[in-house]
Amino acid sequence: MLFGDHLVDLLGSVPSWLATIVMAALPVAELRGAIPIAIGLYNMSPLEAYFLAVFGNMLPVVPLLLFLEPVSSRLRRFYILDRFFGWLFARTHRNHSERFEKYGTMALVMFVAIPLPITGAWTGCAAAFVFGIKFRHSLIAILAGVMIAGFIVTISTLVGISVMDLVV
């Protein structure tokens, strides 16, 4: 059984609109999982699925942007966690700093907007924290990226459903 199936079973007793918001808020599914399930399984209109998923995906963003730094600072008091965060931040800077320096906040928008695994609002919050992007700029960039990703996922879902209808 796939993760999405488990998630749908777990949320089976709640209204579909709420299940869509919850799925979109989770770091594993985000709107990349919520929109196809909302349209394909819950028979929501694409517009309703899009707006509920964007809303749900943005729910954890403000707390993440506000609390990543204090939590990280607190955890870094422990030697092993300090070494882990030091390694993680150095690796992230080494692999992505050129893009963030060149494109600035637009790099964050593009990073969140690409609907692939390990990109999205949760990882975008972590990137904003690591690169020291101010709260306001991060929030706007992540919202723009989530909206673009939602559009791409919605269109892809509709195309996929249409192709499946033609084949079956």
Side-chain angles (χ1 to χ4, degrees):
M1 190 178 250
L2 297 171
F3 175 76
D5 296 335
H6 287 296
L7 195 55
V8 169
D9 288 344
L10 185 66
L11 296 171
S13 62
V14 299
S16 58
W17 64 268
L18 182 57
T20 302
I21 291 171
V22 169
M23 277 187 275
L26 295 174
V28 175
E30 293 197 40
L31 57 68
R32 292 145 179 79
I35 290 173
I37 290 172
I39 294 172
L41 188 64
Y42 298 146
N43 295 315
M44 279 188 196
S45 73
L47 201 58
E48 181 181 17
Y50 172 84
F51 282 112
L52 289 172
V54 168
F55 175 74
N57 205 181
M58 289 303 294
L59 280 177
V61 170
V62 170
L64 284 169
L65 290 174
L66 291 175
F67 297 117
L68 272 174
E69 196 279 324
V71 169
S72 169
S73 295
R74 199 162 201 137
L75 291 175
R76 289 191 84 158
R77 291 191 280 174
F78 300 98
Y79 175 76
I80 189 103
L81 293 174
D82 183 45
R83 286 189 49 124
F84 169 73
F85 282 118
W87 168 82
L88 179 66
F89 296 163
R91 181 177 177 272
T92 304
H93 273 280
R94 186 175 56 251
N95 292 338
H96 301 289
S97 62
E98 187 178 309
R99 273 177 257 155
F100 274 88
E101 286 174 16
K102 185 175 181 181
Y103 299 108
T105 307
M106 277 307 296
L108 185 58
V109 173
M110 293 183 290
F111 179 77
V112 174
I114 300 169
L116 295 172
I118 311 175
T119 64
W122 283 78
T123 312
C125 289
F129 163 62
V130 169
F131 289 104
I133 301 172
K134 289 183 172 48
F135 174 84
R136 181 172 175 231
H137 298 286
S138 298
L139 184 63
I140 293 168
I142 292 169
L143 175 61
V146 165
M147 291 173 71
I148 294 166
F151 177 77
I152 293 168
V153 171
T154 301
I155 296 301
S156 299
T157 300
L158 294 173
V159 168
I161 289 171
S162 296
V163 168
M164 293 302 291
D165 288 344
L166 289 174
V167 173
V168 176

